[in-house]
Every structure is written in C-alpha cells, then in structure tokens.
Amino acid sequence: FGWSAANDGYNDSDDEDNDEFSASNKSAELEEFALSNIKVSRRSRRNRRGIYIPKTSSKVRSVEGVIRKNLAKLYGNIDESLVQIEGCSRTDRGVHARSLICTFLCHSSAIKTKSENPDDTVNNNKPVGTTLKPLPCGQDLGKILFCLNRMLPPDVRIMGISAIPSSDKSTSTTKYKIPLNFHPSLDTQSKTYQYTFSVGDIHDPMRWRHVWHLDGVRQARKKKPTRNNIEHDEIKSKENSGKKNIFYPELAQNVAKEFLGVHNFTAFKGAFRGSERKNGKVVNPICHIHNLTISQDIKDTVNVLNHPLSGSFYMGDEGNSDEIDGRLVTYTVEIIGDRFMYKMVRMIVGCIIAAGLNKISQADVQKAIQTGVMEDHAKKHITCAPAQGLLLRYVSYDKDMIDFNWVTCNLE
C-alpha cells in the first residue's frame, strides 16, 4: 500500500492524531496488504521485525494518522487503534515523499501484549489473542484504493495497493504460494533522496514550499575557480551588490565526491530527540552512499503567461560583473544509499552548500569523515538544510525476492 504526499501545511481540523509507524504482527493469511508511493508520518519508531508498539496520541497532524483514520472508517467506523501501519522510512515534519511503501492490517478486537518476561525484547510486545479482520469493500483492492483517495485530504494520495509479496512452494502434487515475512523498512535495498535549493536575488514564489532559497547568494559564472579567482569575485561582489555570497558549483561538486562509498557518518547526523536521547540510543554510523549528483534545474527561465510581448526573462538581476550572476538558479542534489541516519541527508547538503560558498574546504570534509568529528572552524559555517527542500524519491527492494502485484488507479 503506498502513498505520495506534499507537506504543504494543509490543515484538517478533524485530524489531530500523530500516529507513529509501528512494526506489525505478521500473519500467514493475506489480510495484510502493502501500499506504494505514500508520504510517511513525521515521526516513527524503527524496531526489529515483528514487534508491535501501541500508537501514541499527539496534536501533531501526521500522514499516517490521516490514513489510519480513513482506514478505520472503511472497516466500519472501528477504533483507530485496531489498525496497524508500518512504513519503510521515517521523515521529519516538512519533508515530502513521492514513493513510499507501507503495510497495514486490522485486528478484530482490542490488542493485548505479553508482559511476563520484560527481558524478552522480541516477543514481549507481540499482540496475542487477536484475529485479523478481512479487508473492507468486499476485499476488492481497486475499490479500497478508490475510496481512500476520495476520503483523503488533497496533500496525500494512494498510488497503488498490493497483497503482501509471496513465494512459490510446491509439494509432490500441488504448487502454492505463501506470504513472505515482508517488512517495508528492514527489507529495503536502497533509498533515493533529492534535495532542491536555489541561489539568486529573487526566489521562485511558486516553489517556495519545496525549495530552500539561499538569500543573499549569487552564482559564480566562472566554471573552474582558482584561489585568485575566488578572492577577485569576493571583491567584485562587495563592490557591485554589497555583502553578497558567491556560490561556486564546482567547489560543491568536489566536496560531494568525498561522501561516496562506505564511511562513518557520525559527523553528519542530527542529535537524538525525546526518549531516544534519554535512553542513550546508539545507532550504527556506517552507511554506504552509492551515488551523489548535483544537477542544475533547466526550468529557471520564466515566461509570464506566455504573453508575446513579455518574452522570456530571468528572475533576478544579471549583475554588472562578469564573475557573478544574480539570476535565479536552482540545483537538485540526489543521493542514493543503503541507509541514512537522522538528518544525515540534510547535513550532507549543508556541507555541500558551505563548500560551494567557499566557507569550508574539501580537506575539512575528508577529516570529518575519517575522524567522525567536524572541526569547530568548519562547523560554524554549516547549516542543517531546512526540511522543505527534501524529498524521499524512491525506495528499492530486491526484485528477485520481493515482487509486488500493484493495483493502480483506474478512473475508467
């Protein structure tokens, strides 16, 4: 089961739940289904396969809470706590997602959990004494998809629904399928994130909720800056446009290459929050970055209402210098990796931008990766990129082992 959503601050006064993703209790029956292309909750708890964590309540609106609320209505206005949802990734408030997988199931009665042995972290929170309810809408996946999209707010859409992937089994006389012990988070192979930012005198008002605009930053026209060129551009910038910073794309590209491969990314993770901080949570800082690219958006030329007299123009001033350009330029950083820590992508983007502004050097990033600590003189120039520019673009699974049979939207 999957959704796509833009975090545009849509306000639904009836939806005040912040339901966190929790691992579901797997069953051999097919009452558990998968959704694709969904926007995840703003908070989640990642746990080992098979552990159930009861939902918590908060007055923060979450996408998971919106979907749980409407699934409970489809099941016949049941208690929302009976619906369990498990997503493949966690995103913070303000982050968007275009392709995201989750699973859902519904219990027929109140959930009870084992508590005899508090040291048994695997089985202690598993639901016991419950059965699963059959799917609503006569178990017609197409109808479930259609009804959910009619009920959901405009910033969330379900793009496809599928039964839990199964594997072929056979005996001497018959062939049959059994559902896999599929977990949308633990079974991922890689995740693709995109971060979009822009430089120039004026930001694009049509994209301000999805792009981080660097105020007061202009682009350098020189493709291969040397140290002398950088100093010259800084002087010309002050002469022509006050204290304008200059962004050098090639400096950013050089630093981006340092993140490729398997490294310790301790220096690029965010601080833990809430209970995770109190409990002294420890995470594995070793991540594998498969690919990282920085590309310029070609949609920076604006044509006003296609009016023949207006022609094409650029947002911002071309500038009086041959070295700097005040026109709007938008960049997209795409990063693919096997896993990411809290705020890791946003911290990496912040380092890339700081390097492009010539605030930190390539050696500073190399040392941070090797030692796990960012030096103070470099840290003061690095900003964790704001959430609105980040997009979870794609989540991949092993196609040889996990094969979904998606039912997609059909309006005919």
Side-chain angles (χ1 to χ4, degrees), residues 87-367:
C88 70
S89 182
R90 60 187 292 174
T91 62
D92 302 313
R93 180 169 54 187
V95 176
H96 316 285
R98 186 177 296 277
S99 177
L100 197 149
I101 309 295
C102 85
T103 59
F104 77 92
L105 57 81
C106 182
H107 294 274
S108 60
S109 58
I111 300 173
K112 299 179 180 180
T113 59
K114 296 180 180 180
S115 59
E116 293 84 1
N117 182 10
D119 297 328
D120 187 356
T121 58
V122 175
N123 298 310
N124 189 46
N125 288 323
K126 282 189 175 181
V128 294
T130 65
T131 58
L132 300 180
K133 294 178 69 69
L135 287 174
C137 303
Q139 304 190 35
D140 187 325
L141 300 186
K143 288 184 178 179
I144 296 175
L145 178 64
F146 176 80
C147 292
L148 280 176
N149 282 331
R150 292 298 296 266
M151 299 165 68
L152 289 169
D155 58 347
V156 183
R157 278 299 173 267
I158 310 297
M159 308 306 294
I161 183 169
S162 169
I164 287 296
S166 59
S167 61
D168 294 326
K169 297 292 181 180
S170 61
T171 64
S172 57
T173 57
T174 60
K175 291 184 178 181
Y176 59 96
K177 293 181 178 290
I178 62 171
L180 295 173
N181 188 23
F182 172 72
H183 192 288
S185 177
L186 302 181
D187 290 333
T188 57
Q189 279 193 328
S190 67
K191 297 176 183 178
T192 301
Y193 281 94
Q194 289 181 346
Y195 195 95
T196 307
F197 69 94
S198 63
V199 298
D201 294 339
I202 304 175
H203 74 272
D204 186 347
M206 301 300 178
R207 303 179 66 186
W208 71 273
R209 285 179 172 171
H210 304 87
V211 177
W212 177 27
H213 182 70
L214 304 177
D215 291 326
V217 176
R218 287 186 166 192
Q219 165 142 313
R221 289 179 175 174
K222 297 290 186 181
K223 289 188 176 181
K224 295 183 178 180
T226 63
R227 189 67 195 173
N228 291 334
N229 285 340
I230 293 173
E231 293 173 352
H232 174 68
D233 287 348
E234 289 174 347
I235 295 173
K236 297 291 284 185
S237 175
K238 292 179 181 180
E239 291 177 352
N240 292 291
S241 54
K243 296 182 179 180
K244 292 285 185 182
N245 292 312
I246 307 173
F247 181 77
Y248 297 91
E250 288 216 349
L251 292 181
Q253 293 278 7
N254 293 336
V255 167
K257 298 175 183 177
E258 299 296 331
F259 295 103
L260 295 175
V262 181
H263 300 292
N264 184 333
F265 285 91
T266 300
F268 304 93
K269 69 178 181 67
F272 291 125
R273 302 170 299 176
S275 60
E276 293 178 341
R277 181 183 301 172
K278 292 180 181 178
N279 298 333
K281 182 178 178 180
V282 178
V283 297
N284 178 15
I286 306 301
C287 304
H288 185 186
I289 303 302
H290 303 297
N291 193 30
L292 198 161
T293 60
I294 305 174
S295 58
Q296 182 176 334
D297 195 336
I298 62 173
K299 299 179 181 179
D300 297 325
T301 304
V302 182
N303 188 300
V304 179
L305 302 177
N306 293 320
H307 196 283
L309 296 180
S310 67
S312 296
F313 71 98
Y314 288 92
M315 298 184 67
D317 184 12
E318 292 189 34
N320 299 321
S321 170
D322 293 334
E323 284 80 22
I324 58 175
D325 192 340
R327 294 179 294 183
L328 177 69
V329 183
T330 305
Y331 293 94
T332 297
V333 179
E334 182 174 276
I335 179 169
I336 304 174
D338 62 344
R339 55 187 295 271
F340 297 93
M341 294 183 291
Y342 178 54
K343 291 187 177 180
M344 176 176 155
V345 176
R346 292 162 59 187
M347 291 297 295
I348 289 176
V349 172
C351 287
I352 291 174
I353 292 176
L357 295 173
N358 197 33
K359 302 295 185 181
I360 64 174
S361 67
Q362 191 171 350
D364 291 329
V365 176
Q366 291 174 344
K367 188 174 182 180

Side-chain angles (χ1 to χ4, degrees), residues 35 41 59 126 179:
L35 301 170
S41 160
K59 293 189 177 182
K126 282 189 175 181

